[in-house]
Amino acid sequence: MSSAEPYISENPRPETRPVIRQLDDSAINRIAAGEVVERPASAVKELVENAIDAGATRITVEIADGGKTLIRVTDDGCGMTPEDLPLALSRHATSKIDGSDLLNIHTFGFRGEALPSLGAVGRLTITSRAAGHEAAQIRVSGGKLEPVKPAALRAGSVVELRDLFFATPARLKFMRTDRAEAQAISDTVKRLAMAEPSVGFTLRDVSGGGEGRVTFRADPLSGDLFDALHGRLASVLGREFAENALKIDASREGIRLYGYAALPTYSRGAAVAQFLFVNTRPVKDKMLTGALRAAYFDFLSRDRHPAAALFIDCDPQLVDVNVHPAKSEVRFRDPGLARGLIVSSLRHALAEAGHRASTTVAGATLGAMRAEQPTATGAPRVYQMDRPSYGARSQSYAAQSPGQPHPASFNAPPSPGFAELAGAYSGRVTEAAEPPAAPGQPSDTPERAAPGAEALPLGAARGQVHENYIIAQTTDGMVIVDQHAAHERLVYEKLKRQMANNGVAAQALLIPEIVELSDNDCACLLGVADELAKFGLGIEAFGGNAIAVRETPAILGEVNAEAMIKDILDELSDQGESQLVQAKIEAILSRVACHGSIRSGRRMRGEEMDALLREMEATPHSGQCNHGRPTYVELKLADIERLFGRS
């Protein structure tokens, strides 16, 4: 088409005036299904939530072909009367609310859209029996309702959905494989199982016919809230998460946060182990996930993600759950309060954990020391304790903290030892470090440390290997410490304390830098000016849509203020908060700590090693280095004996 030819739309406007008409119920329900029922997992979510709202204590979910051909949910809840069944399939009919107050919601469901939407796009059968009434059954197929008829059922309800989306064939083209859809259903059931520890859940795949196979089972738990929750998380997320999770329980101004958050050394490569609940409702909220990320901001590298299951309980008036038909998004009346509670509570719990590191670190270490398997000729097993190969060491290191480079060689020149660097802030007076011993010369490390040191968490130093790893003995095992990583964290924590006490020094610009922005960006940036000032970035309005950058953090040196401002705005737009300036400052502090720490190859004396161990025990977050890698490995004597076939 030449530039002179007029553009003709492929969808021209109608020549006649369009007529406004009222859609029938069937069309309305199919439209609603597009929002409420995105895939089989969405249908399972709605049906299981209805069962929980009905007071069920045991819920069984059966699926076939990833939920595409069959979804059956059986519960022992209160059930429905024959008169209720037709009403339950009519649009916007619900027993959850009376419509007078849309903020005072205490149930999962309240919109009255799920059942009629499912009946509009699939073949839905509901069999139910309420106490004091006979069981009854009703069917609806593609929006066509059949009359109620008698049925056989002892109690509760059975909701069966077959041939999902048969009435809207175009939706079937967007379905993924049976395996992917079944996995999505499993994830949905597990989230709801975490939300309700007192309810038993069973997920069964009956694709092959018969009773099928159970893919997930969680028995109902009772007793103390945290005991029940801990047991349910162990069955859903695994024993390793339960072993390496910190208990969270804090309240502020009517909002309570409780649950479990994992240690930084138990991190994941993606945000797949983050579960957030508001009034037991599973949610995916950008503000809450941003707060979780901010709490671990200083303990994990950017490619690592924390694992947590956190619950927020508050008055329903303080949160709006009627934001989206799927009910997975919420809006807090005071989002800053909820965010601050998450960040402060998690940081407090991580600080109280002290030097603790995850048990998976030891597991990965033991995995690298594997025994040789029997040969094909049936020769007896030979227990081999040779040095692991580079590949085995790399795999062990990746298991402890995937995504981080493997320390293959340590050829850095010796640097001042812990005695000189730690004395400035530990209050200890130590002798000057002696120069490293020549190769082949014995170390002056004493054979025994102070009496009783083995009973301390990190034990008593017994020696140093390869001028990088400290070996300590505990009452029931041994500890291997990476001296450089450990001391790097200690120096970093000292620098952070100094920054918190003295503030971030700001460097005034000789000529303020003027940055032109849009109206919204300018207002957004000025709204966080006080927060930025705490980190040495001083900005103020300059008139119109411009802001003036008058100060920058002195520790950053020469800064491209305009580029930094725009990066901050990008973070504010994407996450609702910005940690860019703090990240840049702490990255420099981390580098300073790295260069000011004991280097690999530094021969240490016994008192220096013991001083390092005691400082680790007294310093929060010393269980991982500045990049989230573990600073030490603890091996129990029983595990060591098994390596040698002694148990």
Side-chain angles (χ1 to χ4, degrees), residues 78-79 81 129-133:
C78 63
T81 66
R129 180 175 184 175
H133 295 268

Side-chain angles (χ1 to χ4, degrees), residues 190-435:
K190 288 178 179 179
R191 283 181 181 271
L192 291 169
M194 285 187 279
E196 297 290 340
S198 61
V199 179
F201 292 83
T202 302
L203 176 60
R204 183 179 289 112
D205 192 329
V206 295
S207 299
E211 294 185 359
R213 61 185 180 90
V214 175
T215 59
F216 172 72
R217 182 183 181 88
D219 294 326
L221 301 173
S222 59
D224 178 74
L225 169 64
F226 281 96
D227 290 342
L229 180 58
H230 190 270
R232 179 54 57 87
L233 293 179
S235 64
V236 175
L237 301 181
R239 181 176 53 84
E240 285 186 348
F241 174 85
E243 289 178 349
N244 297 291
L246 305 173
K247 177 180 175 181
I248 309 296
D249 190 9
S251 301
R252 182 185 299 172
E253 298 181 27
I255 298 181
R256 182 190 181 192
L257 174 71
Y258 66 94
Y260 289 89
L263 293 164
T265 45
Y266 185 86
S267 59
R268 306 295 294 271
V272 296
Q274 297 177 3
F275 304 93
L276 300 169
F277 304 83
V278 176
N279 290 342
T280 69
R281 182 188 303 278
V283 299
K284 296 180 180 179
D285 187 84
K286 184 185 296 185
M287 185 273 292
L288 297 179
T289 55
L292 177 59
R293 182 172 53 250
Y296 284 82
F297 173 75
D298 194 30
F299 313 116
L300 295 176
S301 59
R302 286 187 172 269
D303 61 337
R304 304 299 298 170
H305 301 267
L310 299 176
F311 297 76
I312 294 179
D313 276 358
C314 64
D315 190 315
Q317 300 286 342
L318 300 179
V319 61
D320 184 5
V321 298
N322 189 28
V323 177
H324 188 272
K327 303 184 289 293
S328 62
E329 300 178 22
V330 296
R331 293 290 183 272
F332 285 91
R333 180 174 296 180
D334 187 352
L337 176 61
R339 182 187 182 280
L341 179 60
I342 293 175
V343 174
S344 61
S345 301
L346 290 180
R347 284 190 172 270
H348 181 71
L350 292 173
E352 284 192 334
H355 66 279
R356 181 181 168 192
S358 63
T359 58
T360 54
V361 175
T365 305
L366 292 168
M369 305 176 187
R370 57 184 178 85
E372 187 174 315
Q373 298 298 320
T375 62
T377 59
R381 174 177 297 182
V382 177
Y383 289 92
Q384 187 172 343
M385 283 300 296
D386 56 351
R387 185 176 180 179
S389 66
Y390 176 81
R393 284 183 284 130
S394 298
Q395 292 176 2
S396 173
Y397 195 82
Q400 297 173 28
S401 188
Q404 299 296 341
H406 178 66
S409 62
F410 301 96
N411 298 321
S415 65
F418 175 77
E420 297 90 332
L421 294 171
Y425 65 95
S426 65
R428 294 186 177 88
V429 180
T430 55
E431 299 177 3
E434 298 179 2

Side-chain angles (χ1 to χ4, degrees), residues 564-619:
M564 178 181 287
I565 290 297
K566 291 183 177 179
D567 287 344
I568 291 173
L569 284 169
D570 288 342
E571 280 195 347
L572 289 172
S573 175
D574 181 50
Q575 304 173 11
E577 60 176 352
S578 176
Q579 298 173 334
L580 180 68
V581 181
Q582 181 181 359
K584 288 180 177 293
I585 292 174
E586 292 185 346
I588 292 178
L589 294 181
S590 179
R591 288 197 294 271
V592 172
C594 181
H595 290 295
S597 303
I598 299 173
R599 307 301 297 178
S600 299
R602 163 72 163 83
R603 181 71 64 85
M604 297 179 67
R605 297 188 312 236
E607 57 267 27
E608 288 182 299
M609 291 187 285
D610 275 317
L612 178 60
L613 298 177
R614 304 292 81 80
E615 200 71 32
M616 289 177 64
E617 293 167 352
T619 303

